[in-house]
C-alpha cells in the first residue's frame, strides 16, 4: 500500500503505520493530482490542489505522518495495480485511523453546513463503502471547516442514506444482502461496472476487474456473493417498467442495485 507523507508530500511504502484516508467527489481527471503529477512534483497548478493540501494538513495536525488519497496513491496506468486497489479498498478504509470526507459543494459564508443533505457525495457509488468501513469519519465543507463526525451526524446520515443507526455507528448487527443492496440504489458511478466493483468490500468478496463488461459486472458480483452466503434475500428484488436501466435481466439475479426496495431489514 502506497501512502503520501503529509509533510514531505512524497509517496512512500511504510508498514504497520497509522494513516488517514480521504473520501471525496472526484473532479475531472485532469484537474485531480495524479500519481504521475506527484512524481513530476507538479501539483500546485491543479484545481484539486486545495483539496489535496487540506487533507494533508488535517492529517498532519492530527499527528499522522501518512495519508492515502485515491487520486495519487494508485498508479492507474497499471491495470494490475488498479485491480488490486479496487479489491483492497474497503479494507484500506476500514483500517484507517481516520477518514476525512471532503464535500466540495457544501458550505457558504453564513452557514458552514449549507447544502449538507444535498451534497453530491451522498449520490456516488464509491462513497458508500467509504462511509461504512472506517470507524472514525469526519465531514468537512468546501473550505475545510469541520461539520461533524459520523457519530455526531448519525441522525442526518440515517435520513439521507436510509442506513440504520447501528450500522453507521459500527454496532454489530445482522444485515441482509437485500438491505445492503438497497443502500446502493440510486447511486451513480462514472463507469457502469463500478456500481458492482464498489460493492465488493461490503459483501467481502473479490473478483477480477474487467472494464468493458458493463452490466455483467453486477451479475458476477451476485454470483460471487452466492458462493459464500445462503441468504435468500438476494432474490428479494422487484424490477418494473419504471426502472431506468435499459438492460433488463430476466431470471433470478437482479439487473442493478436500484431494484432492491428500501424497506425494513430482511433476514
Amino acid at each position: 500500500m502506497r501512502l503520501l507523507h503529509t509533510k514531505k508530500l512524497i509517496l512512500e511504502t511504510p508498514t504497520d503505520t497509522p494513516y488517514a484516508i480521504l473520501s471525496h467527489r472526484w473532479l475531472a481527471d485532469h484537474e485531480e493530482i495524479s500519481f504521475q503529477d506527484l512524481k513530476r512534483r507538479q501539483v500546485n497548478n491543479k484545481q484539486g490542489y486545495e483539496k489535496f493540501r487540506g487533507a494533508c494538513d488535517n492529517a498532519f495536525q492530527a499527528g499522522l505522518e501518512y495519508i492515502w488519497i485515491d487520486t495519487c496513491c494508485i498508479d492507474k496506468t497499471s491495470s494490475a495495480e488498479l485491480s488490486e486497489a479496487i479489491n483492497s479498498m474497503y479494507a484500506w478504509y476500514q483500517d484507517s485511523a481516520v477518514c476525512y470526507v471532503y464535500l466540495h459543494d457544501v458550505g457558504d459564508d453564513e452557514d458552514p453546513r449549507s447544502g449538507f443533505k444535498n451534497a453530491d457525495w451522498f449520490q456516488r457509488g464509491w462513497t458508500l463503502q467509504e462511509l461504512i468501513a472506517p470507524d472514525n469519519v469526519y465531514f468537512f465543507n468546501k473550505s475545510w471547516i469541520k461539520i461533524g463526525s459520523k457519530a455526531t451526524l448519525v441522525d442526518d446520515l440515517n435520513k439521507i442514506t436510509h442506513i440504520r443507526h447501528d450500522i453507521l455507528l459500527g454496532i454489530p448487527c445482522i444485515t441482509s444482502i437485500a438491505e445492503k443492496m438497497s443502500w446502493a440504489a440510486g447511486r451513480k458511478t462514472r463507469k457502469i461496472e463500478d456500481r458492482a466493483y464498489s460493492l465488493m468490500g461490503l459483501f467481502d468478496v473479490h473478483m477480477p476487474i474487467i472494464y468493458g463488461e458493463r452490466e455483467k459486472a453486477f451479475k458476477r458480483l451476485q454470483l460471487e456473493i452466492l458462493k459464500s452466503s445462503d441468504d435468500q434475500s438476494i432474490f428479494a428484488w422487484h424490477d418494473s417498467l419504471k426502472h431506468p436501466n435499459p438492460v433488463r435481466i430476466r431470471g433470478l439475479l437482479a439487473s442493478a442495485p436500484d431494484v432492491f426496495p428500501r424497506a425494513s431489514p430482511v433476514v
Side-chain angles (χ1 to χ4, degrees):
M1 182 183 189
R2 192 183 290 114
L3 295 172
L4 176 67
H5 196 284
T6 56
K7 191 66 174 176
K8 296 183 287 185
L9 301 184
I10 59 174
L11 294 169
E12 298 179 351
T13 53
T15 57
D16 299 323
T17 187
Y19 60 91
I21 201 163
L22 177 66
S23 176
H24 62 111
R25 169 73 163 95
W26 275 52
L27 302 169
D29 286 344
H30 68 277
E31 292 295 350
E32 294 286 3
I33 295 170
S34 68
F35 174 82
Q36 285 72 27
D37 291 331
L38 273 182
K39 289 294 184 182
R40 294 189 295 261
R41 308 297 293 171
Q42 297 175 348
V43 297
N44 294 11
N45 61 338
K46 293 294 187 78
Q47 186 179 344
Y49 178 73
E50 183 180 348
K51 172 174 59 178
F52 168 89
R53 184 78 250 189
C56 291
D57 287 347
N58 273 277
F60 181 77
Q61 290 165 14
L64 295 167
E65 280 191 285
Y66 295 99
I67 188 169
W68 189 85
I69 302 176
D70 55 358
T71 58
C72 60
C73 290
I74 306 170
D75 181 1
K76 297 176 185 64
T77 63
S78 168
S79 58
E81 183 171 331
L82 180 60
S83 179
E84 179 185 2
I86 289 174
N87 274 278
S88 305
M89 209 167 291
Y90 187 92
W92 289 349
Y93 275 89
Q94 189 174 46
D95 293 342
S96 66
V98 62
C99 175
Y100 299 135
V101 176
Y102 178 75
L103 305 175
H104 74 282
D105 52 356
V106 173
D108 57 32
D109 293 338
E110 296 181 0
D111 180 7
R113 287 187 52 171
S114 174
F116 178 72
K117 294 181 180 180
N118 297 316
D120 193 40
W121 186 86
F122 292 112
Q123 304 302 318
R124 309 307 299 177
W126 286 106
T127 58
L128 175 59
Q129 67 174 5
E130 295 163 15
L131 171 64
I132 293 175
D135 289 332
N136 300 309
V137 180
Y138 293 92
F139 294 84
F140 295 81
N141 72 5
K142 62 184 180 183
S143 300
W144 278 103
I145 296 173
K146 187 184 293 184
I147 299 171
S149 68
K150 181 162 64 170
T152 62
L153 296 169
V154 67
D155 290 335
D156 287 334
L157 294 172
N158 167 256
K159 292 174 183 176
I160 296 167
T161 65
H162 306 283
I163 300 172
R164 285 186 279 145
H165 288 72
D166 49 359
I167 294 161
L168 290 168
L169 295 174
I171 300 171
C173 58
I174 296 174
T175 311
S176 71
I177 291 172
E179 185 181 6
K180 289 182 179 179
M181 289 291 190
S182 74
W183 303 337
R187 288 178 176 258
K188 299 176 178 63
T189 56
R190 289 187 184 181
K191 296 181 179 180
I192 194 168
E193 296 90 347
D194 284 336
R195 295 208 70 191
Y197 302 158
S198 63
L199 296 175
M200 291 192 297
L202 279 174
F203 294 103
D204 194 22
V205 300
H206 302 279
M207 62 187 197
I209 305 303
I210 311 173
Y211 284 114
E213 66 175 331
R214 296 186 61 76
E215 292 85 357
K216 291 181 181 178
F218 190 66
K219 182 177 181 180
R220 281 203 300 127
L221 173 70
Q222 293 170 87
L223 292 173
E224 287 298 321
I225 293 170
L226 286 169
K227 290 178 182 178
S228 59
S229 174
D230 58 1
D231 179 1
Q232 300 298 299
S233 76
I234 195 171
F235 306 119
W237 54 271
H238 175 68
D239 204 351
S240 73
L241 293 175
K242 294 180 180 180
H243 182 234
N245 191 338
V247 179
R248 304 174 62 77
I249 299 175
R250 298 302 179 190
L252 288 176
L253 299 179
S255 58
D258 305 311
V259 300
F260 286 88
R262 291 195 173 104
S264 299
V266 180
V267 294

